[in-house]
Amino acid sequence: MTSPTAAPERIPAFTAATVRDRRASLGYLPGLDGIRGVALIGVLLFHAGHLGGGFLSVDLFFVLSGFLITSLLLVEWDRTGTIDLTRFWSRRLRRLLPAALVVLAATALYAAIALDPAELHRFRLDALAALGNVANWRAIEAGSDYWADFGAPSPLRHMWTLSVEEQLYLLWPATTLGGLWLGRRRRWGRQTLLLLTLGLAGASALAMALLVDAGDTSRSYYGTDTRASAVLLGAVAAIGLSGRSWAAGDGVVRGLRTLTPLAMVVLAVAWVRADGQEVDLYRYGFVLCSAAATVLVAAVATRSVPWLVRALEVWPLRELGRISYGAYLWHW
């Protein structure tokens, strides 16, 4: 993920210091690794049957991914006046693909030994979909009900999150570049991109609400279009926080200090009580949890809530976050 699904890399954070042209610089904030660690714990507990709503921690990873990727893109734009898409995509492949290939190879060996012919055929299709980063759409096409099938899942079930992120990693950098170029003609690059991102996030949340089926929620659960809102809300935070320095009296900082405890309560209650087959979760619950996760990421990025930052920077959480990608790949 920066998600369970993204390999750890240098976390972007907009520091209190500004660079010469008043645009934000990247710095390392271990608290964001701590968020990864907390989210991974949620996933592991859910898969172990001990946290009913722990599947929502995936959206925390998605939000963090959107924040991370968009931050990197904006800094590159500020420094060079463009975004090298080929370099971005090649860097993502180098980070994510080798570890995924090792897991696929090991799982293929297990499948060849342990699965019967019918299961082996399904595994081959799942493996091809995972290699092509379309595992989520493969699950939808195969009619895989995430909740009904949970007792006997595919060995590659968890790869759907990788597919969602890789599809967005393919599309979002080009969209960001287009939005910045469009706005630059009127000197409104950031504002244009912010409005575009908010519009896309809203459209994604609306798609989830409209496409949900009370009899089978898998289409809304797996779909790239329906899950993109979490990544896009993280991108909104990155755009809104970029190009600024922060002080204790800043209005945004004060707002984050007020909203952060509420966001933590929302996530805690949802992670404990949420039911993945409940239609209302898709109508407003997912987007509410993503908004709460966005508040947490923004609070850590601006260091607005010192006690929360200190809690997330403790060594166990920080180190768990640093190995979250590998841990997610292998735990299933």
Side-chain angles (χ1 to χ4, degrees), residues 17-36:
T18 54
V19 294
R20 181 168 46 195
D21 63 358
R22 301 292 295 172
R23 295 185 176 95
S25 61
L26 287 182
Y28 174 66
L29 281 180
L32 293 182
D33 271 337
I35 289 179
R36 276 180 174 152

mmCIF file with all atom_site columns, all heavy atoms in Angstrom, residues 17-36:
data_model
loop_
_atom_site.group_PDB
_atom_site.id
_atom_site.type_symbol
_atom_site.label_atom_id
_atom_site.label_alt_id
_atom_site.label_comp_id
_atom_site.label_asym_id
_atom_site.label_entity_id
_atom_site.label_seq_id
_atom_site.pdbx_PDB_ins_code
_atom_site.Cartn_x
_atom_site.Cartn_y
_atom_site.Cartn_z
_atom_site.occupancy
_atom_site.B_iso_or_equiv
_atom_site.pdbx_formal_charge
_atom_site.auth_seq_id
_atom_site.auth_comp_id
_atom_site.auth_asym_id
_atom_site.auth_atom_id
_atom_site.pdbx_PDB_model_num
ATOM 1   N N   . ALA A 1 17 ? 9.936  25.681 6.677  1.00 0.00 ? 17 ALA A N   1
ATOM 2   C CA  . ALA A 1 17 ? 10.838 26.553 5.931  1.00 0.00 ? 17 ALA A CA  1
ATOM 3   C C   . ALA A 1 17 ? 10.400 26.640 4.484  1.00 0.00 ? 17 ALA A C   1
ATOM 4   O O   . ALA A 1 17 ? 9.870  25.705 3.926  1.00 0.00 ? 17 ALA A O   1
ATOM 5   C CB  . ALA A 1 17 ? 12.259 25.994 6.004  1.00 0.00 ? 17 ALA A CB  1
ATOM 6   N N   . THR A 1 18 ? 10.602 27.777 3.871  1.00 0.00 ? 18 THR A N   1
ATOM 7   C CA  . THR A 1 18 ? 10.297 27.935 2.460  1.00 0.00 ? 18 THR A CA  1
ATOM 8   C C   . THR A 1 18 ? 11.589 28.036 1.684  1.00 0.00 ? 18 THR A C   1
ATOM 9   O O   . THR A 1 18 ? 12.626 28.431 2.202  1.00 0.00 ? 18 THR A O   1
ATOM 10  C CB  . THR A 1 18 ? 9.471  29.211 2.200  1.00 0.00 ? 18 THR A CB  1
ATOM 11  O OG1 . THR A 1 18 ? 10.163 30.316 2.750  1.00 0.00 ? 18 THR A OG1 1
ATOM 12  C CG2 . THR A 1 18 ? 8.104  29.114 2.835  1.00 0.00 ? 18 THR A CG2 1
ATOM 13  N N   . VAL A 1 19 ? 11.517 27.636 0.417  1.00 0.00 ? 19 VAL A N   1
ATOM 14  C CA  . VAL A 1 19 ? 12.671 27.757 -0.431 1.00 0.00 ? 19 VAL A CA  1
ATOM 15  C C   . VAL A 1 19 ? 12.680 29.130 -1.061 1.00 0.00 ? 19 VAL A C   1
ATOM 16  O O   . VAL A 1 19 ? 11.783 29.936 -0.857 1.00 0.00 ? 19 VAL A O   1
ATOM 17  C CB  . VAL A 1 19 ? 12.666 26.650 -1.512 1.00 0.00 ? 19 VAL A CB  1
ATOM 18  C CG1 . VAL A 1 19 ? 12.839 25.300 -0.873 1.00 0.00 ? 19 VAL A CG1 1
ATOM 19  C CG2 . VAL A 1 19 ? 11.385 26.689 -2.324 1.00 0.00 ? 19 VAL A CG2 1
ATOM 20  N N   . ARG A 1 20 ? 13.733 29.411 -1.854 1.00 0.00 ? 20 ARG A N   1
ATOM 21  C CA  . ARG A 1 20 ? 13.973 30.759 -2.335 1.00 0.00 ? 20 ARG A CA  1
ATOM 22  C C   . ARG A 1 20 ? 12.780 31.327 -3.094 1.00 0.00 ? 20 ARG A C   1
ATOM 23  O O   . ARG A 1 20 ? 12.455 32.515 -2.976 1.00 0.00 ? 20 ARG A O   1
ATOM 24  C CB  . ARG A 1 20 ? 15.209 30.746 -3.235 1.00 0.00 ? 20 ARG A CB  1
ATOM 25  C CG  . ARG A 1 20 ? 15.594 32.102 -3.786 1.00 0.00 ? 20 ARG A CG  1
ATOM 26  C CD  . ARG A 1 20 ? 16.971 32.048 -4.418 1.00 0.00 ? 20 ARG A CD  1
ATOM 27  N NE  . ARG A 1 20 ? 17.087 30.868 -5.283 1.00 0.00 ? 20 ARG A NE  1
ATOM 28  C CZ  . ARG A 1 20 ? 18.258 30.432 -5.719 1.00 0.00 ? 20 ARG A CZ  1
ATOM 29  N NH1 . ARG A 1 20 ? 19.385 31.024 -5.369 1.00 0.00 ? 20 ARG A NH1 1
ATOM 30  N NH2 . ARG A 1 20 ? 18.306 29.360 -6.503 1.00 0.00 ? 20 ARG A NH2 1
ATOM 31  N N   . ASP A 1 21 ? 12.091 30.500 -3.884 1.00 0.00 ? 21 ASP A N   1
ATOM 32  C CA  . ASP A 1 21 ? 10.975 31.009 -4.665 1.00 0.00 ? 21 ASP A CA  1
ATOM 33  C C   . ASP A 1 21 ? 9.640  30.871 -3.939 1.00 0.00 ? 21 ASP A C   1
ATOM 34  O O   . ASP A 1 21 ? 8.593  30.974 -4.556 1.00 0.00 ? 21 ASP A O   1
ATOM 35  C CB  . ASP A 1 21 ? 10.909 30.308 -6.015 1.00 0.00 ? 21 ASP A CB  1
ATOM 36  C CG  . ASP A 1 21 ? 10.650 28.820 -5.856 1.00 0.00 ? 21 ASP A CG  1
ATOM 37  O OD1 . ASP A 1 21 ? 10.567 28.336 -4.727 1.00 0.00 ? 21 ASP A OD1 1
ATOM 38  O OD2 . ASP A 1 21 ? 10.539 28.154 -6.901 1.00 0.00 ? 21 ASP A OD2 1
ATOM 39  N N   . ARG A 1 22 ? 9.679  30.612 -2.650 1.00 0.00 ? 22 ARG A N   1
ATOM 40  C CA  . ARG A 1 22 ? 8.504  30.516 -1.788 1.00 0.00 ? 22 ARG A CA  1
ATOM 41  C C   . ARG A 1 22 ? 7.678  29.262 -2.054 1.00 0.00 ? 22 ARG A C   1
ATOM 42  O O   . ARG A 1 22 ? 6.560  29.124 -1.561 1.00 0.00 ? 22 ARG A O   1
ATOM 43  C CB  . ARG A 1 22 ? 7.590  31.747 -1.939 1.00 0.00 ? 22 ARG A CB  1
ATOM 44  C CG  . ARG A 1 22 ? 8.258  33.054 -1.604 1.00 0.00 ? 22 ARG A CG  1
ATOM 45  C CD  . ARG A 1 22 ? 8.587  33.154 -0.141 1.00 0.00 ? 22 ARG A CD  1
ATOM 46  N NE  . ARG A 1 22 ? 7.381  33.179 0.674  1.00 0.00 ? 22 ARG A NE  1
ATOM 47  C CZ  . ARG A 1 22 ? 7.385  33.106 1.996  1.00 0.00 ? 22 ARG A CZ  1
ATOM 48  N NH1 . ARG A 1 22 ? 8.523  33.000 2.658  1.00 0.00 ? 22 ARG A NH1 1
ATOM 49  N NH2 . ARG A 1 22 ? 6.261  33.142 2.664  1.00 0.00 ? 22 ARG A NH2 1
ATOM 50  N N   . ARG A 1 23 ? 8.215  28.350 -2.822 1.00 0.00 ? 23 ARG A N   1
ATOM 51  C CA  . ARG A 1 23 ? 7.500  27.102 -3.029 1.00 0.00 ? 23 ARG A CA  1
ATOM 52  C C   . ARG A 1 23 ? 8.003  26.079 -2.013 1.00 0.00 ? 23 ARG A C   1
ATOM 53  O O   . ARG A 1 23 ? 9.107  26.159 -1.511 1.00 0.00 ? 23 ARG A O   1
ATOM 54  C CB  . ARG A 1 23 ? 7.705  26.597 -4.453 1.00 0.00 ? 23 ARG A CB  1
ATOM 55  C CG  . ARG A 1 23 ? 7.099  27.527 -5.503 1.00 0.00 ? 23 ARG A CG  1
ATOM 56  C CD  . ARG A 1 23 ? 7.221  26.903 -6.878 1.00 0.00 ? 23 ARG A CD  1
ATOM 57  N NE  . ARG A 1 23 ? 6.566  27.744 -7.873 1.00 0.00 ? 23 ARG A NE  1
ATOM 58  C CZ  . ARG A 1 23 ? 7.189  28.644 -8.608 1.00 0.00 ? 23 ARG A CZ  1
ATOM 59  N NH1 . ARG A 1 23 ? 8.484  28.858 -8.449 1.00 0.00 ? 23 ARG A NH1 1
ATOM 60  N NH2 . ARG A 1 23 ? 6.538  29.352 -9.510 1.00 0.00 ? 23 ARG A NH2 1
ATOM 61  N N   . ALA A 1 24 ? 7.134  25.079 -1.753 1.00 0.00 ? 24 ALA A N   1
ATOM 62  C CA  . ALA A 1 24 ? 7.453  24.124 -0.683 1.00 0.00 ? 24 ALA A CA  1
ATOM 63  C C   . ALA A 1 24 ? 8.569  23.188 -1.105 1.00 0.00 ? 24 ALA A C   1
ATOM 64  O O   . ALA A 1 24 ? 8.766  22.893 -2.262 1.00 0.00 ? 24 ALA A O   1
ATOM 65  C CB  . ALA A 1 24 ? 6.202  23.313 -0.334 1.00 0.00 ? 24 ALA A CB  1
ATOM 66  N N   . SER A 1 25 ? 9.298  22.743 -0.130 1.00 0.00 ? 25 SER A N   1
ATOM 67  C CA  . SER A 1 25 ? 10.325 21.731 -0.351 1.00 0.00 ? 25 SER A CA  1
ATOM 68  C C   . SER A 1 25 ? 9.884  20.433 0.281  1.00 0.00 ? 25 SER A C   1
ATOM 69  O O   . SER A 1 25 ? 9.006  20.398 1.127  1.00 0.00 ? 25 SER A O   1
ATOM 70  C CB  . SER A 1 25 ? 11.655 22.186 0.249  1.00 0.00 ? 25 SER A CB  1
ATOM 71  O OG  . SER A 1 25 ? 11.517 22.363 1.640  1.00 0.00 ? 25 SER A OG  1
ATOM 72  N N   . LEU A 1 26 ? 10.513 19.356 -0.155 1.00 0.00 ? 26 LEU A N   1
ATOM 73  C CA  . LEU A 1 26 ? 10.192 18.060 0.412  1.00 0.00 ? 26 LEU A CA  1
ATOM 74  C C   . LEU A 1 26 ? 11.096 17.768 1.593  1.00 0.00 ? 26 LEU A C   1
ATOM 75  O O   . LEU A 1 26 ? 12.276 18.053 1.569  1.00 0.00 ? 26 LEU A O   1
ATOM 76  C CB  . LEU A 1 26 ? 10.378 16.966 -0.633 1.00 0.00 ? 26 LEU A CB  1
ATOM 77  C CG  . LEU A 1 26 ? 9.340  16.900 -1.747 1.00 0.00 ? 26 LEU A CG  1
ATOM 78  C CD1 . LEU A 1 26 ? 9.663  15.738 -2.658 1.00 0.00 ? 26 LEU A CD1 1
ATOM 79  C CD2 . LEU A 1 26 ? 7.955  16.773 -1.184 1.00 0.00 ? 26 LEU A CD2 1
ATOM 80  N N   . GLY A 1 27 ? 10.540 17.182 2.602  1.00 0.00 ? 27 GLY A N   1
ATOM 81  C CA  . GLY A 1 27 ? 11.312 16.743 3.742  1.00 0.00 ? 27 GLY A CA  1
ATOM 82  C C   . GLY A 1 27 ? 10.738 15.437 4.237  1.00 0.00 ? 27 GLY A C   1
ATOM 83  O O   . GLY A 1 27 ? 9.641  15.043 3.862  1.00 0.00 ? 27 GLY A O   1
ATOM 84  N N   . TYR A 1 28 ? 11.464 14.747 5.090  1.00 0.00 ? 28 TYR A N   1
ATOM 85  C CA  . TYR A 1 28 ? 11.007 13.464 5.597  1.00 0.00 ? 28 TYR A CA  1
ATOM 86  C C   . TYR A 1 28 ? 10.266 13.666 6.914  1.00 0.00 ? 28 TYR A C   1
ATOM 87  O O   . TYR A 1 28 ? 10.791 14.293 7.842  1.00 0.00 ? 28 TYR A O   1
ATOM 88  C CB  . TYR A 1 28 ? 12.197 12.526 5.804  1.00 0.00 ? 28 TYR A CB  1
ATOM 89  C CG  . TYR A 1 28 ? 11.804 11.229 6.470  1.00 0.00 ? 28 TYR A CG  1
ATOM 90  C CD1 . TYR A 1 28 ? 10.975 10.326 5.813  1.00 0.00 ? 28 TYR A CD1 1
ATOM 91  C CD2 . TYR A 1 28 ? 12.247 10.925 7.746  1.00 0.00 ? 28 TYR A CD2 1
ATOM 92  C CE1 . TYR A 1 28 ? 10.605 9.140  6.413  1.00 0.00 ? 28 TYR A CE1 1
ATOM 93  C CE2 . TYR A 1 28 ? 11.891 9.736  8.359  1.00 0.00 ? 28 TYR A CE2 1
ATOM 94  C CZ  . TYR A 1 28 ? 11.068 8.846  7.686  1.00 0.00 ? 28 TYR A CZ  1
ATOM 95  O OH  . TYR A 1 28 ? 10.694 7.673  8.294  1.00 0.00 ? 28 TYR A OH  1
ATOM 96  N N   . LEU A 1 29 ? 9.060  13.142 6.990  1.00 0.00 ? 29 LEU A N   1
ATOM 97  C CA  . LEU A 1 29 ? 8.296  13.148 8.232  1.00 0.00 ? 29 LEU A CA  1
ATOM 98  C C   . LEU A 1 29 ? 8.016  11.707 8.640  1.00 0.00 ? 29 LEU A C   1
ATOM 99  O O   . LEU A 1 29 ? 7.204  11.020 8.004  1.00 0.00 ? 29 LEU A O   1
ATOM 100 C CB  . LEU A 1 29 ? 6.976  13.908 8.057  1.00 0.00 ? 29 LEU A CB  1
ATOM 101 C CG  . LEU A 1 29 ? 7.055  15.429 8.088  1.00 0.00 ? 29 LEU A CG  1
ATOM 102 C CD1 . LEU A 1 29 ? 5.676  16.031 7.911  1.00 0.00 ? 29 LEU A CD1 1
ATOM 103 C CD2 . LEU A 1 29 ? 7.656  15.909 9.401  1.00 0.00 ? 29 LEU A CD2 1
ATOM 104 N N   . PRO A 1 30 ? 8.691  11.217 9.660  1.00 0.00 ? 30 PRO A N   1
ATOM 105 C CA  . PRO A 1 30 ? 8.476  9.825  10.073 1.00 0.00 ? 30 PRO A CA  1
ATOM 106 C C   . PRO A 1 30 ? 7.042  9.555  10.517 1.00 0.00 ? 30 PRO A C   1
ATOM 107 O O   . PRO A 1 30 ? 6.605  8.405  10.506 1.00 0.00 ? 30 PRO A O   1
ATOM 108 C CB  . PRO A 1 30 ? 9.475  9.635  11.219 1.00 0.00 ? 30 PRO A CB  1
ATOM 109 C CG  . PRO A 1 30 ? 9.831  11.009 11.683 1.00 0.00 ? 30 PRO A CG  1
ATOM 110 C CD  . PRO A 1 30 ? 9.721  11.896 10.475 1.00 0.00 ? 30 PRO A CD  1
ATOM 111 N N   . GLY A 1 31 ? 6.305  10.589 10.911 1.00 0.00 ? 31 GLY A N   1
ATOM 112 C CA  . GLY A 1 31 ? 4.915  10.385 11.305 1.00 0.00 ? 31 GLY A CA  1
ATOM 113 C C   . GLY A 1 31 ? 4.062  9.813  10.191 1.00 0.00 ? 31 GLY A C   1
ATOM 114 O O   . GLY A 1 31 ? 3.101  9.078  10.448 1.00 0.00 ? 31 GLY A O   1
ATOM 115 N N   . LEU A 1 32 ? 4.406  10.117 8.936  1.00 0.00 ? 32 LEU A N   1
ATOM 116 C CA  . LEU A 1 32 ? 3.656  9.545  7.821  1.00 0.00 ? 32 LEU A CA  1
ATOM 117 C C   . LEU A 1 32 ? 3.959  8.057  7.664  1.00 0.00 ? 32 LEU A C   1
ATOM 118 O O   . LEU A 1 32 ? 3.090  7.279  7.262  1.00 0.00 ? 32 LEU A O   1
ATOM 119 C CB  . LEU A 1 32 ? 3.965  10.309 6.533  1.00 0.00 ? 32 LEU A CB  1
ATOM 120 C CG  . LEU A 1 32 ? 3.461  11.760 6.504  1.00 0.00 ? 32 LEU A CG  1
ATOM 121 C CD1 . LEU A 1 32 ? 3.774  12.403 5.161  1.00 0.00 ? 32 LEU A CD1 1
ATOM 122 C CD2 . LEU A 1 32 ? 1.969  11.833 6.797  1.00 0.00 ? 32 LEU A CD2 1
ATOM 123 N N   . ASP A 1 33 ? 5.180  7.652  7.970  1.00 0.00 ? 33 ASP A N   1
ATOM 124 C CA  . ASP A 1 33 ? 5.457  6.222  8.041  1.00 0.00 ? 33 ASP A CA  1
ATOM 125 C C   . ASP A 1 33 ? 4.652  5.591  9.167  1.00 0.00 ? 33 ASP A C   1
ATOM 126 O O   . ASP A 1 33 ? 4.192  4.446  9.065  1.00 0.00 ? 33 ASP A O   1
ATOM 127 C CB  . ASP A 1 33 ? 6.953  5.978  8.270  1.00 0.00 ? 33 ASP A CB  1
ATOM 128 C CG  . ASP A 1 33 ? 7.726  5.874  6.964  1.00 0.00 ? 33 ASP A CG  1
ATOM 129 O OD1 . ASP A 1 33 ? 7.114  5.548  5.935  1.00 0.00 ? 33 ASP A OD1 1
ATOM 130 O OD2 . ASP A 1 33 ? 8.941  6.126  6.973  1.00 0.00 ? 33 ASP A OD2 1
ATOM 131 N N   . GLY A 1 34 ? 4.477  6.330  10.266 1.00 0.00 ? 34 GLY A N   1
ATOM 132 C CA  . GLY A 1 34 ? 3.652  5.829  11.360 1.00 0.00 ? 34 GLY A CA  1
ATOM 133 C C   . GLY A 1 34 ? 2.214  5.605  10.938 1.00 0.00 ? 34 GLY A C   1
ATOM 134 O O   . GLY A 1 34 ? 1.572  4.635  11.370 1.00 0.00 ? 34 GLY A O   1
ATOM 135 N N   . ILE A 1 35 ? 1.686  6.499  10.090 1.00 0.00 ? 35 ILE A N   1
ATOM 136 C CA  . ILE A 1 35 ? 0.329  6.295  9.565  1.00 0.00 ? 35 ILE A CA  1
ATOM 137 C C   . ILE A 1 35 ? 0.263  5.006  8.767  1.00 0.00 ? 35 ILE A C   1
ATOM 138 O O   . ILE A 1 35 ? -0.686 4.229  8.879  1.00 0.00 ? 35 ILE A O   1
ATOM 139 C CB  . ILE A 1 35 ? -0.093 7.503  8.708  1.00 0.00 ? 35 ILE A CB  1
ATOM 140 C CG1 . ILE A 1 35 ? -0.345 8.724  9.595  1.00 0.00 ? 35 ILE A CG1 1
ATOM 141 C CG2 . ILE A 1 35 ? -1.351 7.171  7.903  1.00 0.00 ? 35 ILE A CG2 1
ATOM 142 C CD1 . ILE A 1 35 ? -0.743 9.964  8.830  1.00 0.00 ? 35 ILE A CD1 1
ATOM 143 N N   . ARG A 1 36 ? 1.288  4.762  7.960  1.00 0.00 ? 36 ARG A N   1
ATOM 144 C CA  . ARG A 1 36 ? 1.352  3.497  7.229  1.00 0.00 ? 36 ARG A CA  1
ATOM 145 C C   . ARG A 1 36 ? 1.303  2.310  8.186  1.00 0.00 ? 36 ARG A C   1
ATOM 146 O O   . ARG A 1 36 ? 0.618  1.315  7.941  1.00 0.00 ? 36 ARG A O   1
ATOM 147 C CB  . ARG A 1 36 ? 2.650  3.415  6.434  1.00 0.00 ? 36 ARG A CB  1
ATOM 148 C CG  . ARG A 1 36 ? 2.642  4.094  5.089  1.00 0.00 ? 36 ARG A CG  1
ATOM 149 C CD  . ARG A 1 36 ? 3.998  3.893  4.479  1.00 0.00 ? 36 ARG A CD  1
ATOM 150 N NE  . ARG A 1 36 ? 4.093  4.373  3.128  1.00 0.00 ? 36 ARG A NE  1
ATOM 151 C CZ  . ARG A 1 36 ? 5.214  4.797  2.560  1.00 0.00 ? 36 ARG A CZ  1
ATOM 152 N NH1 . ARG A 1 36 ? 6.328  4.792  3.263  1.00 0.00 ? 36 ARG A NH1 1
ATOM 153 N NH2 . ARG A 1 36 ? 5.222  5.215  1.308  1.00 0.00 ? 36 ARG A NH2 1
#
